[in-house]
Amino acid sequence: MIESLQEKNRFEFPAFLTAIFIWSAGLIPLYFPKARLWGFNHLLFAPDNVIYLYIVAGLAAILLFIPRVNDLLVRRMDRSALLFNDAPQFGRWVLLSTLFLPLFWFFRMPANFLGDGYTAILNVGNDIPIILKWSEIGAIGLVSVVAGLLPLSGVEGAVVAYALVSVISGGVTVFFFCALAHELSDNGSGRLFTLGLLIFSGWTLLFFGYAESYPVLWPLVSGYIYYSIRCLKGQSSILVPTILLAVAVIMHLQVVFFTLSYLVLFFSRGVGQRIYQSHRNYIIGALAISIMIGFAAILSQLQKSHEFGNHFIPLLTGRPNAPGYTLFSGPHLIDILNEIRLLIPLAPALILLGWKNGSGNGRDAIGRFLIAFALAGAIFILIIDPRLGLGRDWDLFALCGLGPMLLLVRRMGRGTEKVRRLFPGLIALSLIAVMPYFAVNLSYQPSIDYYQWLLRQDVSRSKAGMSQLRNYYTDLGQDSLATEINQEIVKAYPFIRRADKAVELAQAGRHEEALALADSLFAADPYSVESFIVRGLVRLKTGQYAAAINDLERAAELGQYNAQILINLAQAYFRVGKFDLSLESLRKAQKYDAQSLGVYFGMASAFYQIGANDSALVYMDKIIESDSSRTEIYWMAAQAAYRLQSADRTRVYLERYLELAPETSNRSEAERILKQLP
């Protein structure tokens, strides 16, 4: 069969071999289950029927590259490309995107662990003020507004809010995919091919109720690209893509990287083009100087701020928790290839077949714009550190695949007749290639199994992820699974045991041993927030308050949104008499955990020390309401009420104090005050 195929059509033969390669790649991880192939190893976690379907459907798709079968499908594909007549079919595109909404909703993800979904849900769903991260203020704010409009509350409301934003974002994105397909190709079958590959990609998982800040970026960014292309064709104003890009940046600052493409857009049309033509050398020089200044500023900031540096992958020497993960290390480059396979499953075919036999290049304005967008994505995925591991953080980098995909499908979609003959098989192959990814992540237990596999691939980066999984099982009441995960955490992270030991030594008065152990932990990983926390806490317990403040301030800088760090820092300020700074730190902590007893106690103590007894009593009453067995609070509250000359309240607190602590050393003083009360 292969010999006859080669003789009959030499172009379809390499396509046939490439299709076999792409399909068989999905089977390779079955024989190497521990290999770092997270971008296409999903059959490992899929039910048997999905594996059988993948094999059978894949073989069927490969048969579509045989000329006799191919001829029949090409004719039918041409007739079915009604969505893409020469004139834009906006009504049909709206209908198609609307049909996707129930698909996204009814098959939405049952568990939200990819990315940082569980944390995102708890952030919006807990009974505390929502943490608006500086990098994604708009996206989190949008979800919180949606959650506030729902009749649901708590975690349930947060899950539904994220699902609504995700699904609606998916529907709008499908519409813009239709519009992009129309603009990027010049024939119906090419446009249908483009739409098929845009939809049958790993990034479509973002629209199945995905709980993260990234789904809302897709309609904005795809709309920005569409209207930019229209602008470059002289069919739209630059105002629309400008607004869409600005809103996308507000939603998430990662979009700032893609503003590189906006420079191409601005200088390619209208006033920008005239300015560029008149002052080309000056503009190029200014851009070159700006790039050098920006690069120097980044290097300077990397030297000054650990927090800033933690966003970037180390150039030559990895961090202590991942010493082998650097800019051009094998694991990082393999991760990038996995991401490409997940987002552009037909990349080998599109490059091999389209680049030689397709049509269109990057010399026109649209090509330059898409190249700039793709280049920005390449820089982003190369230099930004996937803190969770790229397999879990894939959603952060999903937009990086959109530019290369659009470049490749544009060239293929505008290709010759012999290129268009491959479209049916390629569309089917793209669907089959990503099908296991969806089958796993849209099923409960397979998605959990895949998530745990990802955690074990990057153990050094997965402590928070394993803790989330443990907490998830605890919330569900599955204590045995939670205990099992907790035992794995303790075993995998000796740092936790040693940190606990250091604090225990400090509390036991064995200060030298505690400090030596804390220093050794810090030396092993001086970049981590945990190292600053442990050393700061040990120094606090051993009375080294100034040093503790230095460490805990750095911990607060690196571990933003962590209430406990701020509570410890407030305690250190309190010990040196800086009550104003203590209250400031506690107010910040209160934003992140409004019901923390640590915040209440710190507020009560600080207000009491500065003589604000009425404010102190407010927080003391909150502590008593939460835990009525804490005897020391009744004594503090009695003294505060006594200062305010509130006899009734003083009596209530003292009587309860004496009842709970009959043998207290303050008994005689408490009885004396009681006798003096009117």
Side-chain angles (χ1 to χ4, degrees):
M1 181 181 72
I2 292 179
E3 292 179 0
S4 63
L5 178 64
Q6 186 175 15
E7 293 174 1
K8 194 160 188 176
N9 194 318
R10 292 185 176 277
F11 180 69
E12 263 125 346
F13 181 67
F16 181 80
L17 293 180
T18 306
I20 292 176
F21 170 76
I22 293 172
W23 168 75
S24 61
L27 299 173
I28 292 174
L30 294 176
Y31 299 96
F32 303 97
K34 295 183 179 180
R36 197 179 185 87
L37 302 174
W38 55 262
F40 53 99
N41 70 344
H42 309 106
L43 289 177
L44 284 172
F45 316 99
D48 290 343
N49 59 345
V50 174
I51 299 175
Y52 300 145
L53 178 62
Y54 179 86
I55 294 173
V56 173
L59 292 173
I62 291 171
L63 293 177
L64 298 181
F65 291 90
I66 297 176
R68 291 182 181 178
V69 179
N70 182 273
D71 292 341
L72 177 63
L73 287 175
V74 167
R75 289 193 296 270
R76 292 191 175 182
M77 184 174 178
D78 289 337
R79 288 196 297 270
S80 65
L82 298 176
L83 283 169
F84 301 109
N85 294 330
D86 290 337
Q89 304 294 311
F90 293 111
R92 292 175 181 174
W93 301 346
V94 169
L95 177 61
L96 179 65
S97 58
T98 303
L99 292 175
F100 269 91
L101 294 176
L103 175 68
F104 292 147
W105 181 260
F106 289 113
F107 291 96
R108 62 187 184 276
M109 297 177 66
N112 292 279
F113 284 109
L114 288 182
D116 208 7
Y118 189 63
T119 301
I121 289 169
L122 292 178
N123 180 32
V124 175
N126 275 347
D127 296 328
I128 60 174
I130 293 170
I131 299 171
L132 296 175
K133 294 182 180 180
W134 63 272
S135 59
E136 47 195 286
I137 290 176
I140 297 175
L142 174 64
V143 175
S144 65
V145 169
V146 173
L149 296 174
L150 296 174
L152 304 170
S153 61
V155 171
E156 184 181 5
V159 170
V160 174
Y162 270 111
L164 284 171
V165 172
S166 167
V167 168
I168 294 172
S169 297
V172 179
T173 302
V174 170
F175 173 85
F176 280 121
F177 280 174
C178 292
L180 283 169
H182 186 273
E183 295 297 329
L184 293 175
S185 185
D186 55 5
N187 60 85
S189 59
R191 291 163 178 163
L192 191 59
F193 164 75
T194 299
L195 177 62
L197 265 62
L198 287 174
I199 292 177
F200 300 142
S201 164
W203 56 55
T204 303
L205 183 69
L206 293 171
F207 310 131
F208 285 88
Y210 200 91
E212 256 287 10
S213 297
Y214 308 110
V216 72
L217 299 181
W218 280 79
L220 295 168
V221 173
S222 58
Y224 159 71
I225 296 173
Y226 168 67
Y227 282 107
S228 295
I229 292 173
R230 297 274 294 175
C231 178
L232 293 170
K233 290 183 176 182
Q235 299 170 345
S236 177
S237 165
I238 197 174
L239 180 62
V240 178
T242 302
I243 293 173
L244 288 171
L245 182 63
V247 175
V249 170
I250 292 171
M251 289 293 163
H252 201 296
L253 287 181
Q254 78 163 114
V255 181
V256 168
F257 275 80
F258 298 97
T259 56
L260 176 64
S261 62
Y262 186 80
L263 295 176
V264 177
L265 172 65
F266 180 78
F267 288 121
S268 296
R269 293 290 301 174
V271 176
Q273 185 180 38
R274 292 193 293 272
I275 293 173
Y276 181 76
Q277 290 173 344
S278 301
H279 308 283
R280 176 181 177 181
N281 292 335
Y282 293 109
I283 291 172
I284 293 175
L287 286 174
I289 293 172
S290 298
I291 291 172
M292 288 188 289
I293 292 174
F295 186 70
I298 290 174
L299 289 178
S300 175
Q301 194 67 16
L302 286 172
Q303 296 294 324
K304 295 178 181 178
S305 171
H306 282 303
E307 181 195 5
F308 183 79
N310 283 344
H311 292 293
F312 298 92
I313 294 178
L315 179 60
L316 298 174
T317 304
R319 297 189 176 92
N321 68 338
Y325 205 90
T326 57
L327 194 65
F328 298 107
S329 64
H332 183 218
L333 298 179
I334 290 172
D335 277 347
I336 292 176
L337 292 176
N338 274 284
E339 184 84 1
I340 293 172
R341 171 58 174 77
L342 184 64
L343 303 176
I344 316 175
L346 299 192
L350 297 177
I351 294 171
L352 177 66
L353 304 174
W355 214 252
K356 183 177 180 180
N357 301 284
S359 175
N361 52 49
R363 296 179 182 178
D364 63 337
I366 295 175
R368 290 194 297 270
F369 171 80
L370 293 177
I371 288 173
F373 191 91
L375 178 61
I379 295 172
F380 186 80
I381 197 172
L382 183 64
I383 69 172
I384 297 299
D385 188 10
R387 294 188 181 185
L388 306 178
L390 195 53
R392 291 174 58 207
D393 244 350
W394 76 277
D395 47 5
L396 172 63
F397 300 92
L399 277 173
C400 299
L402 186 57
M405 173 73 94
L406 293 176
L407 277 170
L408 292 169
V409 296
R410 182 184 186 224
R411 188 167 180 84
M412 284 285 285
R414 296 157 62 91
T416 61
E417 176 64 30
K418 64 178 182 179
V419 174
R420 291 199 290 271
R421 290 167 59 88
L422 303 176
F423 289 168
L426 290 173
I427 293 174
L429 191 62
S430 185
L431 170 60
I432 292 162
V434 298
M435 181 263 294
Y437 186 60
F438 289 95
V440 167
N441 285 293
L442 299 181
S443 303
Y444 178 75
Q445 192 56 50
S447 68
I448 298 291
D449 294 341
Y450 176 56
Y451 177 70
Q452 288 186 281
W453 184 92
L454 288 172
L455 292 176
R456 291 173 181 132
Q457 274 288 304
D458 289 293
V459 174
S460 61
R461 297 170 179 260
S462 297
K463 181 161 69 71
M466 295 183 75
S467 298
Q468 289 170 7
L469 189 60
R470 177 198 60 200
N471 296 341
Y472 175 77
Y473 284 133
T474 300
D475 292 342
L476 292 178
Q478 300 180 18
D479 295 335
S480 60
L481 288 174
T483 301
E484 181 181 333
I485 296 296
N486 192 64
Q487 291 173 347
E488 190 171 346
I489 291 173
V490 173
K491 181 179 179 181
Y493 304 103
F495 180 96
I496 298 175
R497 298 195 304 273
R498 298 182 70 199
D500 291 342
K501 182 64 175 178
V503 175
E504 289 175 8
L505 289 171
Q507 291 174 333
R510 298 163 65 180
H511 293 176
E512 291 186 4
E513 294 176 68
L515 289 168
L517 182 53
D519 287 339
S520 69
L521 291 171
F522 185 86
D525 190 2
Y527 295 98
S528 74
V529 62
E530 290 85 0
S531 296
F532 281 107
I533 291 172
V534 173
R535 194 171 69 173
L537 193 55
V538 168
R539 285 174 166 177
L540 178 61
K541 300 291 185 184
T542 56
Q544 300 184 18
Y545 301 127
I549 288 172
N550 289 333
D551 280 339
L552 293 171
E553 283 179 341
R554 293 303 305 276
E557 177 188 348
L558 292 171
Q560 295 181 16
Y561 320 118
N562 188 317
Q564 190 56 51
I565 295 174
L566 293 167
I567 292 170
N568 292 336
L569 179 59
Q571 187 179 352
Y573 286 137
F574 183 89
R575 294 291 186 179
V576 295
K578 295 182 178 180
F579 303 122
D580 53 341
L581 291 178
S582 180
L583 285 170
E584 181 183 340
S585 184
L586 288 166
R587 288 189 182 102
K588 291 179 181 178
Q590 196 171 25
K591 293 180 182 179
Y592 309 137
D593 192 352
Q595 298 178 357
S596 167
L597 287 178
V599 171
Y600 293 163
F601 190 82
M603 287 284 199
S605 301
F607 280 127
Y608 181 79
Q609 287 295 325
I610 64 176
N613 296 294
D614 50 351
S615 296
L617 280 172
V618 170
Y619 288 98
M620 291 174 186
D621 286 338
K622 288 180 179 291
I623 297 172
I624 292 170
E625 183 181 346
S626 299
D627 184 1
S628 60
S629 64
R630 299 187 63 161
T631 57
E632 75 278 9
I633 295 301
Y634 289 101
W635 177 241
M636 288 178 61
Q639 292 176 299
Y642 187 69
R643 290 178 180 179
L644 292 171
Q645 299 181 354
S646 176
D648 292 338
R649 296 183 72 180
T650 303
R651 181 177 291 105
V652 170
Y653 293 133
L654 285 175
E655 288 176 349
R656 182 61 175 157
Y657 174 65
L658 292 171
E659 178 186 345
L660 290 174
E663 303 300 327
T664 176
S665 59
N666 296 315
R667 183 176 185 84
S668 59
E669 178 67 13
E671 290 175 342
R672 183 188 66 79
I673 296 174
L674 268 175
K675 289 178 182 179
Q676 292 179 353
L677 294 177

